[in-house]
Amino acid sequence: MTEPRPGRPAVTSRAQLEQVALALFASRGFEATTVEDVAAAAGIGRRTFFRYYASKNDVVWGNFESGLQDMRQLLAASPDDVPLMESLRTAVLAFNRLDAGAEPWHRQRMALILHVPALQAHSTLRYAAWRDVVAEHAARRLGLPPRALRPRLVGYALLGAAVAAYEQWLEEPGHDLEALLDEAVRTVARGLDA
Amino acid sequence: MTEPRPGRPAVTSRAQLEQVALALFASRGFEATTVEDVAAAAGIGRRTFFRYYASKNDVVWGNFESGLQDMRQLLAASPDDVPLMESLRTAVLAFNRLDAGAEPWHRQRMALILHVPALQAHSTLRYAAWRDVVAEHAARRLGLPPRALRPRLVGYALLGAAVAAYEQWLEEPGHDLEALLDEAVRTVARGLDA
DNA sequence: ACAGTAACGGCACCGAGTGCCGTTGGGAAG
DNA sequence: CTTCCCAACGGCACTCGGTGCCGTTACTGT
């Protein structure tokens, strides 16, 4: 499990830090919580916090990068005889599938990302990586360079669909995320697979 | 022209400040230019800079808000017998129409917004206002609340189309912005007017 | 015991952004 | 011409996110 490595062992983990931070954000609000607060609550130094997360904003994103990797692989493995937009729709739904019981956490996380201005702004940078994954797949399937208008457009349109679905999901507790995503993605997909 | 008001007259203007700033950004780069640099170059105090623009990021956006107002009015004036997506496409093209000779400036501005991470992030906050204008029009025409999934989706999809077009425009000096916007908007519109 | 190594965390610094407040330069009223 | 009013100016001090530097600490392997 924990293979022994040379050097001083890490005193905490990204996941643990994330928990502590999200708890503080929930009780005091994101902006009113300083990095020093988080570090103190986690029992580490302010400087050390920045060794776990490059910025205060990044805490909220947890392990986004690994989710992206999964989606990349899923798309790469998608057979060429399933229509492009269908493979993408499947991938978007899979990417946003929640582990059982993870919904309340995910709700809180997404509420922060979509409603706190600083995080809303920062999200763009993460979204860019997500769009690239989508655009790259679309480019491959369309036989176009990834920087061509069409693949890019697919990336932007699907991202927009996903975010619109999330906004809707956050507002009405009754709604089902997957259904909203499916509806939104299908709608924009209609224009894209010509 | 300049109706006399009580109080000390302003020593500069947003437009002038913008010019000075963009010149510095162009020569030294956005991040390497401090607000103090801009203020000094404009002959004002650092503190005063923030009375003209709420943040360093905002300088780049010039008078975005008034353009938004124009688009809002244009949409409101659009007759109900022209199809929804057509009225929106027209509005998007009008919103992004350049004054003669303004192209080089606009290119530089958009290159900053789309390529400098801090500005890319900040742009999200401006885009939200743009999307709202679109979503509001769509909601009215569809007879739905502006916060429903469909109008929102229209806002996100059109924004995505516009930004994708701009990225393309920036990369290939030969391309015509209006043509790219038209192509992108038409593509996403196909899925949206069902 | 000792070298190697990697995480820790204090310190000092930078730059964006803000609240406070005294100063300045205009117009208008006396 | 003086005085009052008023808004813009801008210095000062402060907060907070983020970074470079560097000595310290805690563990592994010889």
Side-chain angles (χ1 to χ4, degrees):
Chain A
M1 205 70 184
T2 55
E3 42 168 273
R5 280 180 304 112
R8 182 174 176 172
V11 76
T12 182
S13 66
R14 283 173 62 94
Q16 193 188 322
L17 217 40
E18 185 192 343
Q19 275 208 328
V20 171
L22 286 190
L24 283 180
F25 296 163
S27 67
R28 282 189 237 176
F30 180 81
E31 348 230 27
T33 306
T34 70
V35 170
E36 190 141 15
D37 292 337
V38 177
I44 63 174
R46 197 180 94 94
R47 191 64 183 79
T48 300
F49 171 91
F50 288 108
R51 291 218 174 77
Y52 285 84
Y53 288 99
S55 78
K56 183 184 171 186
N57 294 330
D58 282 317
V59 183
V60 174
W61 289 86
N63 223 326
F64 181 73
E65 196 56 44
S66 87
L68 257 198
Q69 268 304 340
D70 294 350
M71 184 163 85
R72 207 175 277 123
Q73 286 181 6
L74 198 143
L75 284 172
S78 160
D80 280 8
D81 58 351
V82 11
L84 169 59
M85 292 314 291
E86 193 179 315
S87 69
L88 282 169
R89 186 173 51 80
T90 306
V92 171
L93 295 186
F95 180 80
N96 292 287
R97 196 114 52 203
L98 302 176
D99 298 341
E103 180 164 328
W105 277 80
H106 196 53
R107 261 202 130 80
Q108 199 215 323
R109 191 201 309 278
M110 292 311 292
L112 286 170
I113 291 175
L114 292 182
H115 299 329
V116 175
L119 293 174
Q120 206 180 323
H122 181 74
S123 68
T124 304
L125 307 176
R126 297 313 193 95
Y127 292 160
W130 189 92
R131 284 191 339 254
D132 281 351
V133 171
V134 172
E136 206 138 325
H137 176 72
R140 190 171 62 71
R141 289 292 301 273
L142 293 170
L144 290 170
R147 316 179 66 81
L149 179 59
R150 184 48 78 95
R152 256 194 190 136
L153 192 48
V154 173
Y156 271 108
L158 285 188
L159 174 65
V163 176
Y166 265 106
E167 282 190 354
Q168 208 61 21
W169 179 63
L170 283 177
E171 270 178 27
E172 318 233 353
H175 279 330
D176 175 44
L177 176 58
E178 185 155 350
L180 287 166
L181 283 167
D182 193 61
E183 159 79 6
V185 171
R186 277 181 197 277
T187 303
V188 298
R190 266 204 300 278
L192 258 28
D193 54 11
Chain B
M1 205 72 184
T2 55
E3 43 169 271
R5 279 180 305 112
R8 183 176 175 172
V11 76
T12 181
S13 67
R14 284 174 62 94
Q16 193 189 325
L17 216 39
E18 184 193 344
Q19 275 208 328
V20 170
L22 286 190
L24 284 180
F25 296 163
S27 67
R28 282 188 237 177
F30 180 81
E31 349 228 28
T33 307
T34 70
V35 169
E36 188 142 17
D37 292 338
V38 176
I44 64 174
R46 196 181 96 90
R47 190 65 183 82
T48 300
F49 171 91
F50 287 107
R51 290 219 174 76
Y52 285 84
Y53 288 99
S55 78
K56 183 184 168 187
N57 295 330
D58 282 318
V59 183
V60 174
W61 289 85
N63 224 326
F64 181 73
E65 196 56 43
S66 86
L68 258 197
Q69 268 304 342
D70 293 351
M71 185 163 83
R72 206 175 278 123
Q73 286 180 4
L74 198 144
L75 284 172
S78 161
D80 281 8
D81 60 351
V82 12
L84 169 59
M85 293 313 292
E86 193 178 316
S87 70
L88 284 170
R89 185 172 52 80
T90 307
V92 171
L93 295 185
F95 180 80
N96 292 287
R97 196 115 50 205
L98 301 176
D99 298 340
E103 179 163 327
W105 277 80
H106 196 53
R107 263 202 127 79
Q108 198 216 325
R109 191 199 308 278
M110 292 310 292
L112 285 170
I113 291 175
L114 291 182
H115 298 330
V116 174
L119 294 175
Q120 206 181 324
H122 182 74
S123 67
T124 303
L125 306 177
R126 297 313 191 96
Y127 291 159
W130 189 91
R131 285 194 334 255
D132 281 350
V133 171
V134 172
E136 207 137 325
H137 177 72
R140 190 172 61 73
R141 288 292 301 274
L142 293 171
L144 289 170
R147 316 180 66 80
L149 179 59
R150 185 47 78 95
R152 259 198 189 131
L153 192 48
V154 173
Y156 271 108
L158 284 188
L159 174 64
V163 176
Y166 265 106
E167 282 190 353
Q168 208 61 23
W169 179 62
L170 284 178
E171 272 178 26
E172 317 232 353
H175 281 329
D176 174 45
L177 176 59
E178 186 154 350
L180 287 166
L181 283 167
D182 193 61
E183 159 78 5
V185 170
R186 276 182 198 277
T187 303
V188 298
R190 264 204 302 276
L192 258 29
D193 54 10

